[in-house]
Amino acid sequence: MSTNANTTQELTGSRLPNPQQLVPEMGDVAKALFKATGNGSVPRTTIGLIQLRAGQIVGSTYLVLQQAGGLRKAGESEERIAAVVTWQDAPYFTDAERAALALVEAVLQPSPEGTRVSDELYTQASAHYDDKALATLAMAIGQVNFFVPVAVIGKPIPGVSPVAQWTPVAGQ
């Protein structure tokens, strides 16, 4: 196993230096997305649930644990958090949450029919969310996906604080 910090992940840090230090503009984008999704048209819990499901779909333990931790801090039950992966038959979700979870799956998973968000799914979602809320749900899916490349390329270690997470930036 190579000891090169640029190519091999150590147990205490990611494969990449801190992306925020490398591309400081990333913070401005992240703040803008957080502000956009926090406009009150969709409950923060729903946003957390769909972002947890997105982390599961893309296979990022880091994102899954990050979103699950946020949901716990917001008072969500362990049953609801654990059941997100099997939300279709779990009894813990409202119809509105199910529509949002169906949207994130449709957006992030290829469809054999070609159309990811069918007219039927859009109609189902629009029965629970107005236009602003639907746009906010789209932004919330985009918000978590903004971080997916950093999570899957940089491979941060779950459970390590953000400060200790990233390898040092050369020269800093």
Side-chain angles (χ1 to χ4, degrees), residues 5-65:
N6 290 327
T7 59
T8 302
Q9 182 178 22
E10 298 177 20
L11 293 176
T12 59
S14 73
R15 295 192 287 201
L16 284 176
N18 186 337
Q20 180 83 32
Q21 290 178 346
L22 295 171
V23 184
E25 300 83 359
M26 182 176 155
D28 294 334
V29 174
K31 286 177 191 170
L33 286 169
F34 188 79
K35 183 178 179 183
T37 61
N39 65 30
S41 65
V42 176
R44 273 281 174 207
T45 298
T46 302
I47 291 171
L49 293 170
I50 67 169
Q51 291 181 340
L52 171 57
R53 186 64 188 123
Q56 293 169 340
I57 292 167
V58 301
S60 172
T61 301
Y62 178 78
L63 289 174
V64 167
L65 293 179

Side-chain angles (χ1 to χ4, degrees), residues 85-100:
V85 73
T86 58
W87 64 269
Q88 296 92 338
D89 63 357
Y92 305 111
F93 305 104
T94 67
D95 289 343
E97 290 168 337
R98 289 177 186 287

Side-chain angles (χ1 to χ4, degrees), residues 28-162:
D28 294 334
V29 174
K31 286 177 191 170
L33 286 169
F34 188 79
K35 183 178 179 183
T37 61
N39 65 30
S41 65
V42 176
R44 273 281 174 207
T45 298
T46 302
I47 291 171
L49 293 170
I50 67 169
Q51 291 181 340
L52 171 57
R53 186 64 188 123
Q56 293 169 340
I57 292 167
V58 301
S60 172
T61 301
Y62 178 78
L63 289 174
V64 167
L65 293 179
Q66 181 183 55
Q67 295 302 324
L71 286 164
R72 279 186 195 95
K73 285 179 186 173
E76 283 301 311
S77 70
E78 288 301 317
E79 289 82 8
R80 278 175 48 93
I81 293 168
V84 167
V85 73
T86 58
W87 64 269
Q88 296 92 338
D89 63 357
Y92 305 111
F93 305 104
T94 67
D95 289 343
E97 290 168 337
R98 289 177 186 287
L101 289 162
L103 279 175
V104 73
E105 285 197 1
V107 169
L108 296 181
Q109 296 178 331
S111 170
E113 294 85 39
T115 301
R116 289 186 186 223
V117 178
S118 67
D119 290 341
E120 178 182 338
L121 177 54
Y122 181 83
T123 299
Q124 176 189 5
S126 65
H128 300 285
Y129 300 100
D130 64 17
D131 289 342
K132 181 176 181 178
L134 285 169
T136 301
L137 284 170
M139 295 307 306
I141 295 167
Q143 180 183 26
V144 72
N145 281 300
F146 175 75
F147 294 102
V148 166
V150 173
V152 298
I153 294 169
K155 215 167 181 190
I157 305 294
V160 175
S161 75

